[in-house]
Amino acid sequence: MLKLKNVSKFYYNKGVIASGFTKVSAQFDTSEFVVITGESGSGKSTLLNVISGLDSYEEGEMYINGEETSHYGESDFEEYRKKYVSNIFQNFNLVNSYTVYQNVELVLLMNGYKKKDIKNKILNLIDKVGLINYKNTKVSKLSGGQKQRVAIARALAKETPIIVCDEPTANLDSKSSREIIKILKEISKDKLLIMVTHDYPSVENVATRVIKMHDGKIVSDKKNNDVDTDRRVEIVDNSNKEIGLFNMIRLGVRNTFNIASKFILLFIVFLFITASLLTEYGALRKSEYESSKLGYNWYFNDTTDTRIVIKKNDGSSISREDFNNINKVSNIERIVEHDILLDEYVWFETDYEKVSEGIFINGLIRDISTFSGKLDYGRMPEADDEVIILVNTYEYYFTERLEDAIKYTYYLNGDKGSIAIKIVGVKYIEEELFFGNDNVIYGDNSLLDKYMTIINKQNSTVKININGNNYDSYNVSGDYFNIAVSDKVSKGNAIISEDINYTCKNFNCKNQNMTINVNNINYVDSLGFKISNTYNDKNVKNLLGINKDNVNYGSIFINKEDYDNLFNKDSYQASVFATKVDFVSDLALELEELGYHTLEMRKTFSNEGMDATKLLKIVKLVVTVILIVTLFFISYFVIKLILKSRNVYFSTLRILGATASHTKRILDIELFINSSLAYITYILFVLLIKNDIINISFIKSVVEYLNIIDYLLMYVILIMMSYLISSRFSSQIFKKSAMKSYREEV
Ligand code: ADP
Ligand code: MG
């Protein structure tokens, strides 16, 4: 069955050639119990390793069933070992953390057997070596003799025609030795058994043949004729069977948990990696978010990043029905119908006649319903003209002299004829709300409506035509003329200042016709009036109910309804706020499909002066990548140290006939399970923090910026890292030949 012809084995060690054995020729057959003896260093082990296919040879030829093997590569020998050879070692080479049963099972699982098919076979084998009472005992708890029996049971399980034993009794007491030899004799009946021993006398009466080695050469080779050798066996062909995925998962799970200390150490390392990854990534997200808030532009004061400005594609106004349809779109937090107000920077000032220092409050104007939080001073508004303000703590009048400041009435642009407000509540903020905007004035709807018409008027060019004469210069936003509302004027009529009489026939405009033309970016409109009267200092109180001191002599008074028809139009531009920044792009797309022109606020930010921010962003990204790579190497070395004790395990697997890729796969699965458990644990921890059950503000402030996609991404990165660690570790073990890595461990 096995034939060696002038085979030599050399070792090359740092340029020095040592000889393992030289020009060995021998032939071995089934049912032989061959004993090899000789002093230490005579080449016995080397010969056994070459016969087992664990080591290569350099000279001569070894035949297996007549087939030459000098051209064999590593995978051919793997195949050969799997099909032909079982090894029994002086050091047992068992998996100490496995039970007796699992050790025998391992070799069968590695060779592709199904778990349920092999149970009886394993129990029979364990019984055969007399360990049935220990089947569920961990191997580490057994005596040397018992361990060697497990090794024999395992060798038998593989059902190979050749069993090779290298000093199997050297570590055993004489009683155990005798028992082991008895078992070996029993199994040698239908196998080729080759055994190296120092203790020839103890095997003298069971060996069928004795080979003596000296200095790397066979010096004698004698048949022991007292023992008959007349049986034949078939070779079980298990060469095509490979370990299946299911068995690999089974072993991966078993290896994850079978050594508690190793499991916990790995778990802690993966927990550390997960925590670092998520914290670092969260911090990156946070700084990204914050720098996005730093953006600004010249057109919009409300730069909330969830804001989308919309206009209808055809330029028409947005109707009630349109708003109802927009409302049906998901992920909308709120809709602001007249969104021009969002961007208006308003100025309210005290009456200079009463307050010589002129106290003012300026900032954005908002609907009181959007106010959130608690007032630091005062109460919520109760009347139409009452407001609360959100002011920065560095506003002198509203911090140091609040008692004074809230006594006064404030007028829009300090103009007593315009909107008047009273401040009844104050809330302080530390930071700017938007770029350059510190304060907010919260009023009710009627205040916002009043302000809206003023803006509409301000943003329009108004021309007046009296009796066919155009007066372009009557631009109402100029400082001369102004269109004002009075309930003393009936619909279709207008009361104008006496000063304008010079423009009319006979210097009297009364009862003449006037048209007001309004033109702005959204619409062009005109309305006809009859000038019902003119006013002056004397009659103004009577006609319009206004004190002469409070009247603006450029004013043209018309009815509220006419005024609204000219200036209080439907909304032409509105803003939609998404519930989350992440939804903005999709929401904008949906609105586009509904027929709106959209502008995402975050896309309007100017890049001017933002190069530094961009650079900072790149630097932060690079730092994150470096951190992840560093993390990878640190964890690789730690995990390598933890797994080092497992090298024996991996070389055992290989000696049992596992291929490199299968062994790696089993490690992949183990690390996958461990890292996933660590990840899940950390996520649970984050959930506890998010729900304020555990209070770690640093982690809380960072994880806030992560969404489900980020979590999945980090999980994928973690799994990839554990996969890379497994690959690196495996390739380091498998760079060495099976025997070399085995020898290094023992
Ligand atoms: P035995 O098992 O009979 O005690 P070995 O087969 O272990 O002897 O060793 C035979 C010879 O090969 C010895 O001279 C030993 O020094 C040498 N040898 C064994 N293994 C190696 C090795 N890995 N590298 C170099 N020389 C080795
Ligand atoms: Mg030896």
PDB file of all heavy atoms in Angstrom, residues 39-46 48-49 90 166-167 196 198, ligand 2:
ATOM      1  N   GLU A  39      17.332   5.604  18.747  1.00  0.00           N
ATOM      2  CA  GLU A  39      17.573   6.636  19.742  1.00  0.00           C
ATOM      3  C   GLU A  39      16.989   7.974  19.283  1.00  0.00           C
ATOM      4  O   GLU A  39      16.628   8.139  18.127  1.00  0.00           O
ATOM      5  CB  GLU A  39      19.077   6.778  20.048  1.00  0.00           C
ATOM      6  CG  GLU A  39      19.912   7.385  18.933  1.00  0.00           C
ATOM      7  CD  GLU A  39      20.381   6.344  17.922  1.00  0.00           C
ATOM      8  OE1 GLU A  39      19.736   5.290  17.773  1.00  0.00           O
ATOM      9  OE2 GLU A  39      21.389   6.612  17.275  1.00  0.00           O
ATOM     10  N   SER A  40      16.927   8.866  20.211  1.00  0.00           N
ATOM     11  CA  SER A  40      16.373  10.189  19.942  1.00  0.00           C
ATOM     12  C   SER A  40      17.182  10.882  18.850  1.00  0.00           C
ATOM     13  O   SER A  40      18.407  10.818  18.857  1.00  0.00           O
ATOM     14  CB  SER A  40      16.403  11.006  21.243  1.00  0.00           C
ATOM     15  OG  SER A  40      15.785  12.228  21.036  1.00  0.00           O
ATOM     16  N   GLY A  41      16.515  11.523  17.920  1.00  0.00           N
ATOM     17  CA  GLY A  41      17.198  12.242  16.848  1.00  0.00           C
ATOM     18  C   GLY A  41      17.563  11.360  15.690  1.00  0.00           C
ATOM     19  O   GLY A  41      18.210  11.804  14.737  1.00  0.00           O
ATOM     20  N   SER A  42      17.143  10.112  15.689  1.00  0.00           N
ATOM     21  CA  SER A  42      17.530   9.223  14.600  1.00  0.00           C
ATOM     22  C   SER A  42      16.629   9.369  13.377  1.00  0.00           C
ATOM     23  O   SER A  42      16.851   8.714  12.363  1.00  0.00           O
ATOM     24  CB  SER A  42      17.536   7.778  15.095  1.00  0.00           C
ATOM     25  OG  SER A  42      16.275   7.442  15.640  1.00  0.00           O
ATOM     26  N   GLY A  43      15.593  10.183  13.474  1.00  0.00           N
ATOM     27  CA  GLY A  43      14.787  10.463  12.277  1.00  0.00           C
ATOM     28  C   GLY A  43      13.436   9.792  12.268  1.00  0.00           C
ATOM     29  O   GLY A  43      12.731   9.819  11.259  1.00  0.00           O
ATOM     30  N   LYS A  44      12.998   9.214  13.397  1.00  0.00           N
ATOM     31  CA  LYS A  44      11.736   8.468  13.436  1.00  0.00           C
ATOM     32  C   LYS A  44      10.535   9.385  13.164  1.00  0.00           C
ATOM     33  O   LYS A  44       9.697   9.090  12.313  1.00  0.00           O
ATOM     34  CB  LYS A  44      11.571   7.789  14.812  1.00  0.00           C
ATOM     35  CG  LYS A  44      12.781   6.962  15.245  1.00  0.00           C
ATOM     36  CD  LYS A  44      12.535   6.296  16.584  1.00  0.00           C
ATOM     37  CE  LYS A  44      12.400   7.274  17.756  1.00  0.00           C
ATOM     38  NZ  LYS A  44      13.640   7.984  18.133  1.00  0.00           N
ATOM     39  N   SER A  45      10.465  10.473  13.935  1.00  0.00           N
ATOM     40  CA  SER A  45       9.316  11.388  13.771  1.00  0.00           C
ATOM     41  C   SER A  45       9.264  11.957  12.362  1.00  0.00           C
ATOM     42  O   SER A  45       8.203  12.077  11.749  1.00  0.00           O
ATOM     43  CB  SER A  45       9.398  12.540  14.774  1.00  0.00           C
ATOM     44  OG  SER A  45       9.265  12.035  16.075  1.00  0.00           O
ATOM     45  N   THR A  46      10.448  12.338  11.864  1.00  0.00           N
ATOM     46  CA  THR A  46      10.503  12.894  10.518  1.00  0.00           C
ATOM     47  C   THR A  46       9.950  11.899   9.505  1.00  0.00           C
ATOM     48  O   THR A  46       9.147  12.268   8.629  1.00  0.00           O
ATOM     49  CB  THR A  46      11.959  13.273  10.163  1.00  0.00           C
ATOM     50  OG1 THR A  46      12.503  14.021  11.251  1.00  0.00           O
ATOM     51  CG2 THR A  46      12.024  14.091   8.904  1.00  0.00           C
ATOM     52  N   LEU A  48       7.792   9.493  10.080  1.00  0.00           N
ATOM     53  CA  LEU A  48       6.344   9.392  10.261  1.00  0.00           C
ATOM     54  C   LEU A  48       5.612  10.566   9.613  1.00  0.00           C
ATOM     55  O   LEU A  48       4.563  10.392   8.986  1.00  0.00           O
ATOM     56  CB  LEU A  48       5.980   9.364  11.749  1.00  0.00           C
ATOM     57  CG  LEU A  48       6.121   8.048  12.494  1.00  0.00           C
ATOM     58  CD1 LEU A  48       5.328   8.086  13.797  1.00  0.00           C
ATOM     59  CD2 LEU A  48       5.633   6.876  11.651  1.00  0.00           C
ATOM     60  N   ASN A  49       6.177  11.761   9.779  1.00  0.00           N
ATOM     61  CA  ASN A  49       5.523  12.945   9.205  1.00  0.00           C
ATOM     62  C   ASN A  49       5.486  12.883   7.685  1.00  0.00           C
ATOM     63  O   ASN A  49       4.520  13.318   7.059  1.00  0.00           O
ATOM     64  CB  ASN A  49       6.222  14.221   9.664  1.00  0.00           C
ATOM     65  CG  ASN A  49       6.012  14.463  11.156  1.00  0.00           C
ATOM     66  OD1 ASN A  49       5.060  13.925  11.735  1.00  0.00           O
ATOM     67  ND2 ASN A  49       6.897  15.214  11.776  1.00  0.00           N
ATOM     68  N   GLN A  90       2.080  11.989  20.671  1.00  0.00           N
ATOM     69  CA  GLN A  90       2.516  11.932  22.063  1.00  0.00           C
ATOM     70  C   GLN A  90       1.730  12.929  22.920  1.00  0.00           C
ATOM     71  O   GLN A  90       1.382  12.644  24.051  1.00  0.00           O
ATOM     72  CB  GLN A  90       4.011  12.264  22.085  1.00  0.00           C
ATOM     73  CG  GLN A  90       4.646  12.178  23.432  1.00  0.00           C
ATOM     74  CD  GLN A  90       6.138  12.500  23.336  1.00  0.00           C
ATOM     75  OE1 GLN A  90       6.722  12.451  22.243  1.00  0.00           O
ATOM     76  NE2 GLN A  90       6.746  12.815  24.455  1.00  0.00           N
ATOM     77  N   ASP A 166       2.982   8.546  16.929  1.00  0.00           N
ATOM     78  CA  ASP A 166       4.327   8.961  17.298  1.00  0.00           C
ATOM     79  C   ASP A 166       4.446   8.954  18.812  1.00  0.00           C
ATOM     80  O   ASP A 166       3.947   9.844  19.486  1.00  0.00           O
ATOM     81  CB  ASP A 166       4.604  10.360  16.745  1.00  0.00           C
ATOM     82  CG  ASP A 166       6.091  10.686  16.796  1.00  0.00           C
ATOM     83  OD1 ASP A 166       6.843   9.889  17.413  1.00  0.00           O
ATOM     84  OD2 ASP A 166       6.483  11.717  16.235  1.00  0.00           O
ATOM     85  N   GLU A 167       5.120   7.928  19.348  1.00  0.00           N
ATOM     86  CA  GLU A 167       5.302   7.754  20.783  1.00  0.00           C
ATOM     87  C   GLU A 167       4.012   7.982  21.559  1.00  0.00           C
ATOM     88  O   GLU A 167       3.957   8.834  22.456  1.00  0.00           O
ATOM     89  CB  GLU A 167       6.404   8.706  21.290  1.00  0.00           C
ATOM     90  CG  GLU A 167       7.645   8.623  20.394  1.00  0.00           C
ATOM     91  CD  GLU A 167       8.936   8.943  21.128  1.00  0.00           C
ATOM     92  OE1 GLU A 167       8.938   8.815  22.365  1.00  0.00           O
ATOM     93  OE2 GLU A 167       9.909   9.298  20.460  1.00  0.00           O
ATOM     94  N   VAL A 196       5.879   4.681  16.448  1.00  0.00           N
ATOM     95  CA  VAL A 196       7.237   4.945  16.923  1.00  0.00           C
ATOM     96  C   VAL A 196       7.231   4.807  18.435  1.00  0.00           C
ATOM     97  O   VAL A 196       6.318   5.286  19.099  1.00  0.00           O
ATOM     98  CB  VAL A 196       7.669   6.364  16.520  1.00  0.00           C
ATOM     99  CG1 VAL A 196       8.896   6.807  17.311  1.00  0.00           C
ATOM    100  CG2 VAL A 196       7.950   6.439  15.026  1.00  0.00           C
ATOM    101  N   HIS A 198      10.034   4.346  22.097  1.00  0.00           N
ATOM    102  CA  HIS A 198      11.313   4.111  22.751  1.00  0.00           C
ATOM    103  C   HIS A 198      11.307   2.784  23.470  1.00  0.00           C
ATOM    104  O   HIS A 198      12.331   2.229  23.790  1.00  0.00           O
ATOM    105  CB  HIS A 198      11.534   5.202  23.821  1.00  0.00           C
ATOM    106  CG  HIS A 198      12.235   6.382  23.291  1.00  0.00           C
ATOM    107  ND1 HIS A 198      11.612   7.588  23.113  1.00  0.00           N
ATOM    108  CD2 HIS A 198      13.519   6.547  22.884  1.00  0.00           C
ATOM    109  CE1 HIS A 198      12.458   8.451  22.623  1.00  0.00           C
ATOM    110  NE2 HIS A 198      13.639   7.841  22.469  1.00  0.00           N
TER     111      HIS A 198
HETATM  112 MG    MG B   2      10.467  12.055  17.732  1.00  0.00          MG
END
